[in-house]
Amino acid sequence: MFRFEDPIYLYLLVLIPILALVRFVSYRNQKKRLRKFGDPALLKALMPDVSRFRPSVKFWILEGALALLIVMLARPQMGTKINHEKRVGIETIIAMDISNSMRAEDIVPSRLDRSKMMVENLVDHFSNDKIGLIVFAGDAFVQLPITSDYVSAKMFLSSIDPSMIATQGTDIATAIDMATHSFTQEEGIGKAIVVITDGEDHEGGAVEAAQAAKDNGMRVYVLGVGSVNGAPVPIPGTGDYMKDNSGNTVMSALNEDMCKQVAQAGGGAYIHVENNSAAQEQLDNELDKLAKKETTTTIYSEFDEQFQAFGILAVLLLILEICIYDRRNPLLKKISLFGGKKNVAVMLLLLVAVASSAQTDRQYIRQGNRQFHTGDYANAEVSYRKAIEKNPKNPQAAFNLGNALMAQKKDSAAVEQYENASKLETNPLRKAQAFHNIGVVCQSHKMYGEAIEAYKNALRLNPNDDETRYNLVLCKHQKQKQDQNRQNQQGNDDKKEDNKKDQQKPEENKDKKDEQKPQEQQKPQMSKENAEQLLNAAIQNEKQTQDKLKKAQQQPQRRKIEKNW
């Protein structure tokens, strides 16, 4: 497969016919002037050393050399293109809940953002596995068919948002059913369906769908995101929270019981996602247990630069053009390969083209820096990754790649690159900057403990950094406040439990007293008239209840109003 990395330079090939036209016009004018000077046959006899064809040959050689230089600038690439590799791994379909309730912020920074981070880390953990992505709310659709292209998986993951699905709600059954039909036809390979949701199943049928998936040889794992206490659902851009039909603020809570039932029916495991990495490790361990099988995968490899061949041809043509003189029988002793100014300029252009085509890691870094400063963070990421491919031990490329990833809100991958930069960097100030940026990412996610450690490492390397010192003090204050809030919340939960126990004690004491009453005193006897009145009242109430049930059954059933969270 052949391609050009920078095909825009190919537009310069239009210079070839333009120069040919100029050459043709100039040659005709030259012949007209010679005819005015004298008879062409006589002039030819007077100029025996002048060749008619040599100038044309030299011109077309220069034209060919110029065309090769332009092709070099376009960076022709060829080579490895498509490979069919054999890999040993599993197939995983991620079914991610993107209903409005996933905007709740009881999990930092939010349920949805935390889910994205987990999937991104899961993709980074994969090496020879295949992954697919399904998003669902009140409806479901395939966001990414099952593939081994992890770069595409991350790209599609970053664009997920609840606004993608107009029909809100949570239909887990549809998502699981769609996932069962999204795997390949390979047999004997482990197939996992990872459902990431807060468990607010408004449609039902999830347990049955998980059981059907298990019967087809698939495992269903459920990641419960959120807290059982519930949290309000924010409305983006308004600062307000969602309200139900009665005007009350919606409190979205994790339905752990339903999640556990789905996971049990699907033969998988239920994992509760909290503000730590325990859930990620548990999920990785569960997926590692699945059976792995050798599969054939189509891989698009890196393209090899092929400008060298065009450069060699251009140099040979230029040398040939220099060796050819306009006159017949040139004197070899007067031949000078670099005597003409025109030839020197052409050789300099050749050297510049070769230097620009064979980019080093530093040149990729400079290219990425220009793209980063213009706000083109995606292409800057590509340039920095190319620099790392050229030189994996370049700390500046790793650090700048972390900046590009952080600008795209790929925080987990950014932290990884900053850690690599801190290990490779020998300059204390640059290493301190890497730790500082790690602290900034952790602080933005309210991971104050990790941020404090990162800022401390940065200050050990650069004690004069006032910004790091200020962030360290701020994180300590915020962590103290966070710990106090947790203690207060835990104390409130303990008080609630104590109140429940206190409420249960009087009831238990009351029951005990009631049991002791027959022994202590006799119950007063009821008169016959009072007994008949109570019996008639009970019969009347039972009759009214039966009438209400009959009326309710006779009325047509109304469609249940769908929830929009």
Side-chain angles (χ1 to χ4, degrees), residues 207-221:
V207 176
E208 292 77 5
Q211 181 66 46
K214 179 184 177 182
D215 297 338
N216 291 326
M218 305 163 192
R219 296 290 182 90
V220 180
Y221 300 88

Side-chain angles (χ1 to χ4, degrees), residues 310-322:
F310 294 91
I312 293 173
L313 291 176
V315 171
L316 293 176
L317 288 178
L318 290 174
I319 293 174
L320 180 62
E321 192 274 339
I322 292 171

Side-chain angles (χ1 to χ4, degrees), residues 3-74:
R3 73 171 189 181
F4 290 98
E5 178 68 18
D6 300 317
I8 191 172
Y9 290 107
L10 295 177
Y11 287 109
L12 294 175
L13 290 174
V14 73
L15 294 174
I16 304 300
I18 293 176
L19 292 176
L21 181 62
V22 172
R23 162 73 179 171
F24 176 74
V25 173
S26 175
Y27 181 72
R28 287 191 60 183
N29 292 335
Q30 183 180 10
K31 290 182 69 175
K32 288 181 180 180
R33 290 195 298 267
L34 287 175
R35 289 191 184 96
K36 291 180 180 179
F37 185 76
D39 183 57
L42 180 61
L43 293 175
K44 184 177 181 180
L46 294 174
M47 299 183 294
D49 295 334
V50 175
S51 174
R52 178 181 176 185
F53 300 103
R54 288 173 183 260
S56 299
V57 172
K58 289 171 65 68
F59 172 77
W60 288 111
I61 290 176
L62 286 177
E63 286 272 80
L66 179 60
L68 290 173
L69 290 176
I70 293 174
V71 172
M72 283 181 61
L73 289 176

Side-chain angles (χ1 to χ4, degrees), residues 105 110 147 150-151 182 204 317 328 402 411 506:
E105 299 175 349
S110 70
T147 179
Y150 302 143
V151 176
S182 299
L317 288 178
R328 295 191 181 97
D411 293 338

Side-chain angles (χ1 to χ4, degrees), residues 112-124:
L112 182 59
D113 291 335
R114 185 68 178 180
S115 302
K116 289 182 181 180
M117 293 174 64
M118 284 198 64
V119 175
E120 185 176 345
N121 293 333
L122 181 64
V123 172
D124 292 337

Side-chain angles (χ1 to χ4, degrees), residues 395 421-422 424-435 461-462:
S422 65
L424 298 172
E425 188 60 74
T426 57
N427 189 323
L429 297 180
R430 293 179 180 176
K431 183 179 290 189
Q433 187 62 37
F435 282 117
L461 297 168
N462 185 14

Side-chain angles (χ1 to χ4, degrees), residues 352-515:
V352 171
V354 172
S356 63
S357 299
Q359 295 193 47
T360 62
D361 56 332
R362 293 184 179 180
Q363 290 173 325
Y364 278 125
I365 291 175
R366 287 195 290 268
Q367 178 181 345
N369 292 341
R370 290 193 295 269
Q371 295 166 339
F372 185 89
H373 291 313
T374 58
D376 190 2
Y377 304 124
N379 287 329
E381 177 187 351
V382 174
S383 298
Y384 294 140
R385 290 192 184 277
K386 289 182 178 179
I388 293 177
E389 291 179 1
K390 291 285 185 181
N391 184 9
K393 296 183 179 180
N394 191 328
Q396 185 180 0
F399 179 81
N400 290 0
L401 176 58
N403 291 339
L405 292 169
M406 187 168 67
Q408 299 177 76
K409 298 182 179 180
K410 300 178 181 178
D411 293 338
S412 58
V415 170
E416 182 180 353
Q417 294 301 325
Y418 288 139
E419 290 176 349
N420 294 337
S422 65
K423 295 176 183 177
L424 298 172
E425 188 60 74
T426 57
N427 189 323
L429 297 180
R430 293 179 180 176
K431 183 179 290 189
Q433 187 62 37
F435 282 117
H436 174 86
N437 287 3
I438 292 175
V440 170
V441 174
C442 294
Q443 184 179 358
S444 65
H445 291 285
K446 297 183 181 181
M447 302 167 63
Y448 300 122
E450 292 82 352
I452 290 172
E453 290 299 323
Y455 288 140
K456 285 182 178 179
N457 291 332
L459 287 175
R460 291 189 187 101
L461 297 168
N462 185 14
N464 298 324
D465 192 344
D466 294 332
E467 182 180 357
T468 303
R469 184 175 291 103
Y470 171 81
N471 288 353
L472 175 61
V473 175
L474 180 61
C475 280
K476 287 182 177 179
H477 176 73
Q478 290 173 333
K479 187 175 186 300
Q480 183 179 5
K481 187 177 179 181
Q482 188 182 57
D483 294 339
Q484 290 178 353
N485 292 335
R486 288 178 179 175
Q487 291 176 359
N488 294 335
Q489 185 177 0
Q490 185 176 2
N492 293 332
D493 294 339
D494 293 339
K495 288 181 181 180
K496 290 180 180 179
E497 292 180 1
D498 292 338
N499 292 334
K500 289 181 179 178
K501 291 180 180 179
D502 293 337
Q503 291 175 359
Q504 292 175 357
K505 286 181 179 180
E507 292 178 0
E508 293 175 359
N509 295 333
K510 183 178 179 181
D511 294 337
K512 291 180 180 179
K513 290 180 180 180
D514 292 337
E515 292 174 0

Side-chain angles (χ1 to χ4, degrees), residues 498-559:
D498 292 338
N499 292 334
K500 289 181 179 178
K501 291 180 180 179
D502 293 337
Q503 291 175 359
Q504 292 175 357
K505 286 181 179 180
E507 292 178 0
E508 293 175 359
N509 295 333
K510 183 178 179 181
D511 294 337
K512 291 180 180 179
K513 290 180 180 180
D514 292 337
E515 292 174 0
Q516 295 173 358
K517 279 182 181 180
Q519 300 176 0
E520 297 175 356
Q521 59 182 6
Q522 294 182 353
K523 185 176 179 181
Q525 295 182 355
M526 183 180 295
S527 64
K528 185 178 181 180
E529 295 178 357
N530 292 335
E532 290 179 353
Q533 290 177 358
L534 291 175
L535 181 60
N536 293 331
I539 294 173
Q540 187 67 23
N541 291 334
E542 179 67 19
K543 186 178 179 181
Q544 292 178 357
T545 303
Q546 293 295 335
D547 293 337
K548 289 180 180 179
L549 288 175
K550 289 180 181 179
K551 290 180 180 180
Q553 292 175 358
Q554 292 175 358
Q555 290 180 356
Q557 294 182 354
R558 296 181 180 178
R559 186 178 182 272

